Amino acid sequence: MNSVVVETPTDLAGTEKVLAFFREQLLSGTLREGDRLLGERELSLALGVSRPVLREALRSLANLGFLDIRHGKGAYVRKADMAVIGDFLTFCLAQQPDMMDDIMQARIAIECQAIRLACLRATDGDLSRIGSLLTRLLDTIHDVEDGGAADFAFHMALVEASRSPALVTIYQSIATLLKRSHVQRRLETSETAGILDYLVEAHREVYLSVLARNPDEAEDKLRQHFAIGDELRRKSYIAAFTKKDLPKQE
């Protein structure tokens, strides 16, 4: 029979000490990627926690992708795995009501600031990549799955062109939800009149505004893109329910 391990308040306090220490060391720059942590004995004494509690806390950090524990060699700081962090955030947000609407608001906030920065910071390579993804978006315009993926990749490239590690990291952490949103919106609006022309023109205008390096225009075009997209989606809902409620022809 498997035993159940119950954490006591003391264990939790000890775990929080370890996590707080690790966080502060990273923020202060004392610890960097590739650095080795103090040995288990030294670290447990320094933090005033038991070795079992320390091991469990370090194991948790390793599971989150922050540490690389090498048996017989110690624990090393590693670059965070965004896939793991994204999964963790997805699990948290999935339990919230109206999750996707909230995610869209977060997306708008991130992208509108990112596109302004992209106008100022984007390299020629960034602009070329965004242009290539626009072409890919056009080539997959009739495909819900591939088109949705291309749409997400275009917007991801805009955020990356901001050259802001913070914005890119936050955006990547909700990437799973955003990819799902892009495909879902394609499904919902696939039969809406004018949707394909809108998608082509909206993304083209956003791209041209970044090429022109005009932050105000770029943000305005992006906000228009979001607003019109929401309106088309609303119309698709109305059309779907209207069709559903029509009496069947005998």
Side-chain angles (χ1 to χ4, degrees):
M1 184 175 179
N2 293 329
S3 60
V4 178
V5 177
V6 179
E7 288 188 317
T8 66
T10 302
D11 291 335
L12 290 174
T15 299
E16 288 166 2
K17 274 187 181 180
V18 178
L19 298 180
F21 168 79
F22 185 70
R23 182 171 59 245
E24 182 56 37
Q25 293 287 295
L26 288 175
L27 288 173
S28 67
T30 304
L31 281 178
R32 299 182 182 277
E33 182 184 348
D35 286 351
R36 181 181 181 277
L37 269 62
L38 289 173
E40 189 178 282
R41 181 173 178 278
E42 295 90 340
L43 197 52
S44 65
L45 287 173
L47 296 177
V49 300
S50 68
R51 294 174 78 168
V53 168
L54 175 65
R55 288 191 203 106
E56 190 59 36
L58 295 182
R59 192 176 298 117
S60 295
L61 288 169
N63 289 337
L64 288 171
F66 298 130
L67 288 180
D68 177 18
I69 298 178
R70 306 172 191 173
H71 294 293
K73 295 184 178 180
Y76 293 79
V77 179
R78 61 176 294 185
K79 186 175 181 179
D81 185 343
M82 287 310 303
V84 174
I85 297 173
D87 286 342
F88 177 76
L89 188 58
T90 298
F91 292 145
C92 292
L93 292 173
Q95 301 174 48
Q96 305 301 317
D98 301 320
M99 172 194 63
M100 290 313 302
D101 286 340
D102 196 34
I103 287 295
M104 276 304 299
Q105 293 306 313
R107 175 193 171 193
I108 291 170
I110 296 167
E111 285 196 38
C112 284
Q113 177 59 17
I115 201 169
R116 295 187 70 87
L117 292 175
C119 289
L120 304 174
R121 300 176 177 177
T123 65
D124 289 343
D126 291 328
L127 297 176
S128 177
R129 181 163 177 264
I130 296 169
S132 297
L133 289 169
L134 176 60
T135 300
R136 178 181 160 197
L137 190 152
L138 301 182
D139 290 342
T140 58
I141 199 70
H142 296 286
D143 188 296
V144 170
E145 292 287 340
D146 290 345
D151 202 332
F152 167 77
F154 176 86
H155 287 270
M156 182 75 246
L158 285 175
V159 175
E160 290 173 337
S162 72
R163 295 286 159 178
S164 167
L167 290 178
V168 172
T169 298
I170 295 169
Y171 201 81
Q172 285 178 335
S173 71
I174 56 175
T176 299
L177 297 170
L178 292 178
K179 289 175 185 176
R180 183 184 181 91
S181 172
H182 277 285
V183 173
Q184 184 63 34
R185 284 168 178 262
R186 289 292 182 98
L187 282 169
E188 292 170 349
T189 59
S190 60
E191 296 183 6
T192 303
I195 184 63
L196 297 184
D197 289 339
Y198 153 72
L199 285 170
V200 170
E201 188 61 19
H203 288 90
R204 188 182 71 83
E205 288 187 353
V206 167
Y207 176 54
L208 290 176
S209 66
V210 177
L211 279 181
R213 295 191 181 276
N214 186 326
D216 291 336
E217 181 184 352
E219 182 181 352
D220 183 58
K221 293 295 184 184
L222 189 59
R223 287 190 182 277
Q224 287 181 39
H225 171 36
F226 290 134
I228 295 173
D230 285 341
E231 178 62 17
L232 287 172
R233 189 161 60 107
R234 186 184 67 82
K235 288 180 178 179
S236 74
Y237 290 158
I238 294 172
F241 279 108
T242 300
K243 185 183 296 184
K244 182 179 179 181
D245 293 338
L246 286 174
K248 293 182 179 180
Q249 297 290 332
E250 295 293 338

